[in-house]
Amino acid sequence: MLNKKEQRLRRSRQTRERIAKQGVARLTVFRSNLHIYASVISEDGARVVATASTAEKDLRTELSGKGGNAAAAALVGKRIAEKAKAAGVEKVAFDRAGFAYHGRVKALAEAAREAGLQF
C-alpha cells in the first residue's frame, strides 16, 4: 500500500510523461506548509528558465503574514509569469506535481494566467 506522499509522486510522474509529449515549457509547483514554489522548466527539461517562491526576500516584504496562504500563492503566480515572459516563454503546461488543483495551487495558476501566461 502506498502512503500519501508516494501516491502524490506517482500522480506527478504520470503528468510529467504527458507534458513531455506536448513539447512545451512546464510550470511546476511545489507547496510546503510554510511556502509555495514555482519554476518554469524548458521544453527538454534540461534547464530552469525562471523561479519564484514565497521564500524570496523581496517577495517576503510584500507578504502581510506567512507564505502558506492563497494570497501569497497569487503573488508567486504573478511573479513567475513576469519572469517567464521576460525569459521569452509565453506558453506553458501546468504541472501541479500531484497536488490537488485547489486552494494555493489554484490561486497560483489563476494569477499566472491573469499575468499573461497561457496554459
Side-chain angles (χ1 to χ4, degrees), residues 12-83:
S12 68
R13 274 194 304 275
Q14 292 171 343
T15 303
R16 288 196 183 108
E17 289 173 8
R18 182 181 48 82
I19 290 172
K21 292 177 184 175
Q22 292 178 0
V24 295
R26 178 174 57 136
L27 171 60
T28 186
V29 175
F30 177 76
R31 66 176 174 82
S32 67
N33 287 337
L34 293 179
H35 297 289
I36 189 158
Y37 306 86
S39 300
V40 175
I41 300 171
S42 65
E43 296 86 4
D44 58 356
R47 62 187 177 91
V48 176
V49 178
T51 62
S53 74
T54 54
E56 294 176 354
K57 188 172 184 175
D58 55 342
L59 191 60
R60 289 189 66 89
T61 60
E62 296 178 33
L63 297 175
S64 59
K66 296 188 177 187
N69 56 24
L75 287 175
V76 172
K78 183 178 177 185
R79 164 129 322 134
I80 193 70
E82 292 169 354
K83 288 183 175 183

Side-chain angles (χ1 to χ4, degrees), residues 100-113:
Y101 188 78
H102 177 63
R104 291 188 284 160
V105 175
K106 184 177 179 180
L108 188 144
E110 290 176 351
R113 279 192 191 106

